[in-house]
Amino acid sequence: DGGITQSPKYLFRKEGQNVTLSCEQNLNHDAMYWYRQDPGQGLRLIYYSQIVNDFQKGDIAEGYSVSREKKESFPLTVTSAQKNPTAFYLCASSVDAGNNYGYTFGSGTRLTVV
Amino acid sequence: AQSVTQPDIHITVSEGASLELRCNYSYGATPYLFWYVQSPGQGLQLLLKYFSGDTLVQGIKGFEAEFKRSQSSFNLRKPSVHWSDAAEYFCAVGANRDDKIIFGKGTRLHILP
């Protein structure tokens, strides 16, 4: 079945370390997105990519970086510059940059800084 | 810029009772509208969507939503809730074709036995 796979499901990081969250999709979708979710704050957009080798900052990009070298993959790196990285991270994809079909979401990665 | 508001942070209903979750949006033209559901520790699942045409939209799991342009609303309804409906519900709005979808802050639904 087609879908989005996020790994790992749980991730622990020491302060000062970079960590990379994986997002892979086999839906042949052009666009991919990273969201951060904190209790009571809904979903906040970190980065998005509408096509391979191109991506744009979202509302809270500081302390994060991404790459889009392959259509199927959109990894997110949480750098040591992110002051409060503990959160639930969601990856999503859509057929294209339009809104006709909505987004398909992965099951998320919970990152905890220890 | 478009925006979406979910006025209720928490809603509690008894099992078997009817449900209505409110959603108001701000956008000049007819938007794309969505409702998603999220179980604890999981991703979001699309319940239903509205683009144009019939203003009453049917979705999965027995949910429906009605688009009311005059009230800028897209409320989610279900005639009889089940304990398994306990989750967080997000309303979302998309505008221009190349714009991103904006999500509300969510309404958490609690079900009383």
Side-chain angles (χ1 to χ4, degrees), chain B residues 91-110:
Chain B
C91 182
V93 59
N96 298 324
R97 177 168 173 76
D98 293 326
D99 210 341
K100 300 172 296 298
I101 292 176
I102 304 298
F103 290 84
K105 293 193 174 184
T107 297
R108 184 166 295 280
L109 175 63
H110 305 272

Side-chain angles (χ1 to χ4, degrees), chain A residues 9 33 35 37 40-43 45 48 50 58 88 90 96-108 110, chain B residues 32 34 36 38 41-46 49 51 88 90 93-106:
Chain A
K9 190 169 180 64
Y33 311 83
Y35 287 90
Q37 189 176 24
Q41 297 198 44
L43 279 70
L45 183 64
Y48 64 102
Q50 297 178 338
F88 189 55
L90 285 164
D96 54 28
N99 293 315
N100 294 44
Y101 303 99
Y103 296 170
T104 301
F105 282 84
S107 58
R110 184 165 299 281
Chain B
Y32 300 97
F34 309 87
Y36 286 85
Q38 183 183 33
Q42 299 298 315
L44 278 67
Q45 180 184 21
L46 181 65
K49 57 191 175 187
F51 302 143
E88 189 154 23
F90 292 91
V93 59
N96 298 324
R97 177 168 173 76
D98 293 326
D99 210 341
K100 300 172 296 298
I101 292 176
I102 304 298
F103 290 84
K105 293 193 174 184

Side-chain angles (χ1 to χ4, degrees), chain A residues 25-84:
Chain A
Q25 55 101 355
N26 60 3
L27 300 166
N28 199 33
H29 285 179
D30 284 334
M32 298 187 74
Y33 311 83
W34 273 107
Y35 287 90
R36 170 177 172 144
Q37 189 176 24
D38 297 281
Q41 297 198 44
L43 279 70
R44 292 185 290 169
L45 183 64
I46 305 172
Y47 268 98
Y48 64 102
S49 168
Q50 297 178 338
I51 196 169
V52 176
N53 292 322
D54 187 43
F55 50 83
Q56 287 80 40
K57 293 181 179 180
D59 301 317
I60 57 164
E62 184 175 354
Y64 300 97
S65 66
V66 294
S67 63
R68 186 85 187 277
E69 298 176 359
K70 299 186 300 182
K71 188 175 185 178
E72 316 82 70
S73 180
F74 191 42
L76 173 73
T77 297
V78 184
T79 75
S80 56
Q82 170 51 237
K83 297 305 178 188
N84 185 21

Side-chain angles (χ1 to χ4, degrees), chain B residues 50-88:
Chain B
Y50 172 80
F51 302 143
S52 64
D54 193 347
T55 57
L56 186 62
V57 181
Q58 301 297 321
I60 62 172
K61 305 185 179 191
F63 285 93
E64 65 178 26
E66 186 171 12
F67 170 61
K68 293 186 177 180
R69 183 191 304 275
S70 62
Q71 299 177 19
S72 296
S73 69
F74 188 57
N75 294 349
L76 182 71
R77 302 194 295 243
K78 188 170 185 178
S80 176
V81 297
H82 186 262
W83 64 267
S84 60
D85 293 324
E88 189 154 23

